[in-house]
Amino acid sequence: MRSFFLLTYRLSRGTSISASGNCNQRLFMSSLSHISPKLRDIIGSRLPKVFPEVDASTNSNYRHFEVKATDLYLDVNFEKSTVTGEVKYQLHVKDDAESIVLDTSFLDVKQVTVDDKDVEFEIKPRKEPLGSPLVIKHAVKKSQQLLLTSKFETTDKCTALQWCDPEQTDGGDHPYLYSQGEPIHIRSLFPCFDTPSIKSPFTFRVKSPLYTLLSGKTYKQEGDVYYAKQPIPIPVYLVSIASGNLVGADVGPRSKVYAEPIAIDACQKELKDDIEDFIQTAEGLVFKYEWAKYDLLVLIKSMPFGGMENCEISHINPTCITGDKQNIDVIAHELAHSWSGNLVTNCSWDHFWLNEGWTVYLERRIVGVLHGEPSRHFSAIIGWSDLEYSIKSMGQTAQRYSTLIQDLKDGSDPDDAFSTVPYEKGFNLLFHLEQVLGGTSVFDPFIPYYFNKYKYKSLDSYQFLDALYEFFSDKHDILDKVDWETWLYKFGLPPKPKFDTSLVDECYDLAAKWVDVTKKDSKDLLKRTFSPDDISNFTGNQTNVFLDTLVSYQGVEGFLWNSKEGEQALTYMRENYSVYDDSKNAEVIFRWYRLQLTGRSKQYYQRLADWLGTIGRMKFVRPSYRMLNDVDPQLAKDTFLKFEPIYHPICRSMIRKDLQL
């Protein structure tokens, strides 16, 4: 039995085994039977020992178990900023194990029982950044069924929850609580197998004095206790809670939007005409929406992400609500996660692109159907610019964090690997495949095939490749011409696809004209050439491309915005394009400030610093602090220390690393 256990353990952790790799080859052949010999030569040395690949970002021994069902009870205490609760797991044992190991992080575990009998447990020393293993000293045998229960309480170091005082909310009269579990923070809320490789149905029971929303359908409320269920198996990072002064409004036949009362009318107006169109378009691309509903919660400003795809209740950043519908494509993104990520899930954060690359691809297909194919390409061009900037801003770390398939097997923090790369590099790979295979008419049948094949499951990139080669069995010659080595493993930018630039040419032309005239160092020529009419008909996205393009000229053939002629041009630009100074669109504000700081326009240093106290979205906050740190390190530090309390714990941690605090 000991030798069997050691073999099982080694396989489960992805470590090497003896027998000259023959076992690995058999696993490889049985799991990836459709890829071509040429692709096998490229990926063979990187293949894991088991499929899907073992998740290195968990301390648990999850591979020994199947979670049949999870029951979670939470009791919210706003006065103490704590949550107490109980979690119950119905477990099926897949392999013998000497103990049960769960993930925890800064969590106070009160009691553990197996089949309602107390068992001994130990919280092992913390392993940064992965937390403290909860070792339950109870041996299990293969095929055994058991009920594992744990009682717990959160601490003030919990990273999954943000507790907000009334003054941190828009309404200013009630406290507010919301969670962010992805990637590895839910282990600070309750003990769990905190890996996307494990999924189960959930039932929820939550006690809170304020209105509460959960990642399932609420079917009953008794006083301050809310009951919800999620029958579709989900990974724990999709478990969510939000509680506060919230009200709801209809935005579609199967959708509501929730927000604070002060914001609900604006949110409903922004979203009500689009959500059902998004859903039906996505259904046409993949298959029928399987969840009970699709609701949205517009959170307060401290939310660190543009959105979070919590099942049936997407959490949306308030920067998406601009009054002009310019930023609601993020809704299409979060909706698309209902298939990519929530139904079909990356097995570990090394393969995060399977969640996000597919989601961006579906998001842009939705945009293309609703607004025309040039709009899809326009969005892709903006994404490419974001990818270029993201990789450039990584500096030396790009050699590690700009590869499509990540390597977190050394126990690195998955948050450190979070960037635009899995989104945009992943999208561009799928877009490239679509193009080389013959366009959407050829590629589209693969979409429902792939999502049906891995529905309710978790997979790695190699299983994706196997499914791709399986479906396009008659096109291996085309697929073998894809530069898989570059796409999957090399850092930096991938090969750039050919985009339809018809909607961006006007933006490119205006930016090029500004650079050309600026080089001539003539105030009179600036006045004769440019006027506010230049941008009067630009959409928000066109403005984004225009400003991105202006910044991209910095350093090209010796051109500098932080030069005498550059400063002169930016001064005239500010006078004529004052609409940018007055914008309420965070996408525009960020890019406008980035251009000004590129030109070392000192009057914008403090303006950027002040703006950083009004937002919490890391897409804008992190690069803004980096920019500020480049031009005025002391102001960057002082600004962060001033506003640190309003940011989410994840955001705080990442900025501290960025500023080396």
Side-chain angles (χ1 to χ4, degrees):
M1 292 300 294
R2 177 173 170 79
S3 61
F4 172 80
F5 171 77
L6 287 175
L7 175 61
T8 303
Y9 176 78
R10 287 169 179 162
L11 286 173
S12 73
R13 299 307 300 173
T15 54
S16 61
I17 60 174
S18 57
S20 303
N22 290 334
C23 182
N24 180 39
Q25 183 67 17
R26 287 195 298 272
L27 284 167
F28 166 59
M29 293 300 292
S30 62
S31 299
L32 303 181
S33 58
H34 301 98
I35 64 171
S36 69
K38 182 175 181 180
L39 178 58
R40 184 178 302 141
D41 288 342
I42 295 170
I43 67 176
S45 64
R46 282 100 162 194
L47 287 172
K49 301 297 187 292
V50 292
F51 299 95
E53 187 172 27
V54 174
D55 183 3
S57 298
T58 173
N59 289 318
S60 72
N61 59 347
Y62 73 93
R63 291 186 60 81
H64 292 273
F65 302 95
E66 177 185 359
V67 181
K68 307 294 287 187
T70 304
D71 182 76
L72 182 62
Y73 169 69
L74 303 174
D75 189 343
V76 177
N77 189 321
F78 280 101
E79 291 184 1
K80 295 182 178 180
S81 296
T82 61
V83 170
T84 57
E86 179 181 81
V87 61
K88 296 183 177 182
Y89 298 108
Q90 294 181 25
L91 298 182
H92 167 75
V93 182
K94 295 163 62 178
D95 288 303
D96 293 5
E98 296 176 351
S99 61
I100 306 169
V101 185
L102 300 181
D103 288 296
T104 75
S105 179
F106 301 121
L107 194 63
D108 184 6
V109 179
K110 305 289 189 181
Q111 182 186 30
V112 177
T113 65
V114 173
D115 293 332
D116 297 321
K117 295 179 180 179
D118 283 341
V119 294
E120 185 180 353
F121 65 91
E122 178 184 5
I123 297 181
K124 292 289 188 178
R126 185 172 179 83
K127 301 177 182 178
E128 290 291 354
L130 304 182
S132 305
L134 169 60
V135 179
I136 300 162
K137 299 178 179 180
H138 183 83
V140 294
K141 298 293 185 181
K142 184 177 180 179
S143 300
Q144 184 179 350
Q145 310 289 327
L146 58 93
L147 176 65
L148 175 66
T149 304
S150 177
K151 294 183 178 180
F152 57 87
E153 183 175 9
T154 62
T155 69
D156 59 359
K157 294 182 179 180
C158 174
T159 57
L161 300 176
Q162 171 128 34
W163 301 90
C164 302
D165 295 328
E167 56 268 23
Q168 293 176 270
T169 68
D170 293 329
D173 51 3
H174 290 83
Y176 200 108
L177 166 68
Y178 69 93
S179 66
Q180 172 62 42
E182 190 183 42
I184 58 169
H185 297 281
I186 207 69
R187 64 188 66 176
S188 68
L189 177 57
F190 61 93
C192 56
F193 297 107
D194 193 359
T195 168
S197 282
I198 290 286
K199 296 182 174 184
S200 81
F202 271 79
T203 55
F204 302 96
R205 183 167 53 98
V206 177
K207 182 179 181 181
S208 176
L210 296 174
Y211 193 82
T212 298
L213 296 167
L214 300 156
S215 46
K217 184 176 182 179
T218 299
Y219 62 90
K220 183 171 63 173
Q221 180 181 353
E222 294 179 342
D224 58 359
V225 179
Y226 299 80
Y227 297 82
K229 59 183 177 180
Q230 181 49 262
I232 295 176
I234 62 172
V236 290
Y237 79 83
L238 290 174
V239 170
S240 70
I241 178 175
S243 189
N245 184 21
L246 300 171
V247 293
D250 290 332
V251 289
R254 43 185 160 173
S255 303
K256 287 181 177 290
V257 62
Y258 293 88
E260 292 183 272
I262 195 172
I264 191 63
D265 289 343
C267 294
Q268 183 185 34
K269 182 179 179 181
E270 189 95 348
L271 302 173
K272 66 178 181 180
D273 296 326
D274 298 284
I275 302 304
E276 186 61 23
D277 286 345
F278 285 163
I279 297 174
Q280 291 184 18
T281 303
E283 289 177 325
L285 291 167
V286 194
F287 47 68
K288 186 174 176 60
Y289 183 80
E290 294 200 4
W291 310 85
K293 57 188 176 62
Y294 183 68
D295 293 340
L296 305 106
L297 168 63
V298 179
L299 282 167
I300 57 178
K301 63 185 179 184
S302 63
M303 185 189 183
F305 303 112
M308 180 60 206
E309 62 273 16
N310 300 309
C311 303
E312 301 188 22
I313 179 73
S314 290
H315 289 188
I316 304 299
N317 194 288
T319 59
C320 301
I321 307 299
T322 58
D324 57 8
K325 294 182 177 288
Q326 292 292 320
N327 289 342
I328 64 169
D329 284 356
V330 74
I331 310 301
H333 180 92
E334 301 310 327
L335 168 68
H337 267 303
S338 302
W339 291 269
S340 55
N342 296 8
L343 283 183
V344 177
T345 310
N346 50 231
C347 67
S348 75
W349 305 111
D350 284 347
H351 304 277
F352 189 38
W353 80 271
L354 290 172
N355 277 20
E356 296 299 348
W358 263 112
T359 299
V360 175
Y361 180 82
L362 292 177
E363 166 202 339
R364 289 180 180 150
R365 291 298 305 276
I366 293 170
V367 169
V369 171
L370 294 176
H371 304 298
E373 189 66 5
S375 293
R376 176 168 81 119
H377 286 248
F378 190 10
S379 178
I381 291 168
I382 295 173
W384 183 269
S385 296
D386 287 343
L387 180 62
E388 288 181 317
Y389 180 77
S390 177
I391 293 176
K392 182 179 179 181
S393 68
M394 288 180 183
Q396 291 298 314
T397 64
Q399 295 186 34
R400 174 168 188 176
Y401 293 126
S402 66
T403 59
L404 190 61
I405 297 178
Q406 284 292 300
D407 184 1
L408 301 173
K409 297 173 186 62
D410 61 355
S412 296
D413 191 342
D415 275 326
D416 290 344
F418 180 87
S419 74
T420 304
V421 170
Y423 295 76
E424 296 298 342
K425 206 169 190 177
F427 159 78
N428 278 287
L429 172 57
L430 294 169
F431 184 66
H432 178 63
L433 291 172
E434 170 204 303
Q435 290 185 319
V436 299
L437 286 166
T440 56
S441 61
V442 178
F443 189 71
D444 280 5
F446 173 66
I447 299 174
Y449 169 79
Y450 167 74
F451 283 100
N452 271 308
K453 181 180 180 70
Y454 285 106
K455 183 168 63 174
Y456 314 139
K457 300 176 183 177
S458 303
L459 77 159
D460 61 32
S461 301
Y462 307 108
Q463 292 170 297
F464 161 78
L465 291 173
D466 194 60
L468 182 72
Y469 271 75
E470 178 186 22
F471 186 82
F472 292 108
S473 59
D474 60 336
K475 297 183 183 297
H476 282 197
D477 57 331
I478 296 174
L479 291 174
D480 279 348
K481 292 177 183 178
V482 174
D483 187 355
W484 292 112
E485 177 74 25
T486 295
W487 277 105
L488 299 176
Y489 303 115
K490 288 188 177 180
F491 67 87
L493 290 169
K496 186 175 182 177
K498 184 178 180 180
F499 298 121
D500 177 351
T501 64
S502 58
L503 291 180
V504 298
D505 286 340
E506 187 177 358
C507 314
Y508 290 156
D509 292 344
L510 181 59
K513 185 185 294 186
W514 267 99
V515 172
D516 183 59
V517 173
T518 297
K519 289 178 178 178
K520 293 179 170 58
D521 193 16
S522 170
K523 289 184 179 179
D524 289 339
L525 186 57
L526 285 168
K527 292 179 180 179
R528 293 197 306 269
T529 307
F530 303 107
S531 75
D533 292 340
D534 301 337
I535 60 170
S536 60
N537 293 321
F538 273 11
T539 65
N541 281 338
Q542 285 179 304
T543 292
N544 294 341
V545 171
F546 169 57
L547 295 175
D548 283 342
T549 307
L550 288 173
V551 171
S552 73
Y553 277 103
Q554 178 75 1
V556 176
E557 297 180 353
F559 178 81
L560 297 172
W561 289 109
N562 55 320
S563 62
K564 182 177 77 69
E565 60 271 21
E567 180 181 355
Q568 177 178 264
L570 288 176
T571 299
Y572 189 74
M573 191 183 299
R574 290 193 293 269
E575 294 172 357
N576 280 267
Y577 299 168
S578 60
V579 63
Y580 293 156
D581 273 331
D582 300 328
S583 177
K584 304 300 182 184
N585 187 331
E587 298 279 358
V588 173
I589 296 170
F590 167 72
R591 287 169 168 83
W592 179 237
Y593 287 171
R594 182 171 66 184
L595 175 62
Q596 300 303 324
L597 265 68
T598 301
R600 299 302 191 265
S601 302
K602 291 186 177 180
Q603 66 266 44
Y604 279 83
Y605 296 3
Q606 189 60 53
R607 292 186 65 166
L608 175 59
D610 293 341
W611 185 61
L612 285 168
T614 68
I615 57 169
R617 187 175 175 183
M618 289 198 295
K619 175 182 181 180
F620 306 123
V621 172
R622 289 188 68 191
S624 292
Y625 273 109
R626 291 185 192 128
M627 290 189 297
L628 201 56
N629 193 51
D630 286 341
V631 299
D632 192 334
Q634 190 60 48
L635 179 58
K637 178 180 177 181
D638 292 345
T639 300
F640 174 67
L641 294 177
K642 177 181 179 181
F643 295 130
E644 183 177 15
I646 73 171
Y647 297 137
H648 189 278
I650 300 172
C651 186
R652 292 178 212 156
S653 174
M654 300 311 296
I655 297 172
R656 282 192 164 274
K657 291 179 182 178
D658 292 339
L659 300 182
Q660 298 182 335
L661 295 177

